[in-house]
Amino acid sequence: MQDILNQYDTVNEANVKTWFEVGTVSDFPENSGACIKYKTKQIAVYNFTRMSKWYACQNLCPHKMEMVLSLGMIGDKAGIPKVACPMHKKNFSLEDGSNLAGEDLKIAVYPVKIENGNVYIGFAD
């Protein structure tokens, strides 16, 4: 199981080697998540229209090791955009992947860009 978790690493925009097209803006629900696949990774993508931003993170919950984060509720905690795991309600920052309860568990996050109505996620490979 740790091998699965180890394939997810946060990517900063400066480190992007591949902008992977995942669909059009209209393919993704507003203020909710959807899951896409990139190579062996499952990535949760959020069109957070209330904040006028897009976010992407690993779909794998690091606590229960289930591919469920795209089903989590999004919102904010003290202005930080977050996703709550639907299994145990742990909250993760969609900006840096940190656990908002201060626990060790964190998630990988990925940059998202929108060009000509298409959605792209940045990867370092």
Side-chain angles (χ1 to χ4, degrees):
M1 280 297 205
Q2 195 62 36
D3 290 347
I4 296 170
L5 195 56
N6 289 341
Q7 71 177 322
Y8 295 99
D9 284 312
T10 290
V11 175
N12 296 316
E13 198 158 338
N15 300 337
V16 171
K17 290 191 174 83
T18 303
W19 284 102
F20 183 66
E21 185 176 340
V22 297
T24 64
V25 168
S26 62
D27 290 334
F28 295 88
E30 293 186 0
N31 296 307
S32 188
C35 181
I36 64 98
K37 191 160 186 190
Y38 175 75
K39 296 184 179 178
T40 60
K41 298 176 176 76
Q42 284 191 31
I43 306 295
V45 182
Y46 307 95
N47 178 3
F48 204 159
T49 56
R50 288 196 327 261
M51 293 189 129
S52 300
K53 282 208 67 173
W54 286 74
Y55 297 97
C57 68
Q58 70 189 47
N59 195 35
L60 180 67
C61 165
H63 176 243
K64 294 289 188 186
M65 299 302 282
E66 297 283 344
M67 297 290 185
V68 295
L69 291 181
S70 63
L71 304 173
M73 289 183 60
I74 59 173
D76 74 276
K77 182 174 183 176
I80 299 169
K82 66 168 180 95
V83 60
C85 176
M87 294 188 77
H88 55 60
K89 307 301 182 240
K90 290 192 185 299
N91 291 298
F92 299 98
S93 164
L94 290 171
E95 290 181 337
D96 67 8
S98 61
N99 182 305
L100 296 178
E103 299 170 8
D104 280 347
L105 297 171
K106 62 184 193 325
I107 59 172
V109 294
Y110 301 88
V112 180
K113 73 176 179 180
I114 308 299
E115 282 185 356
N116 301 319
N118 295 315
V119 182
Y120 298 86
I121 299 175
F123 295 97
D125 58 345

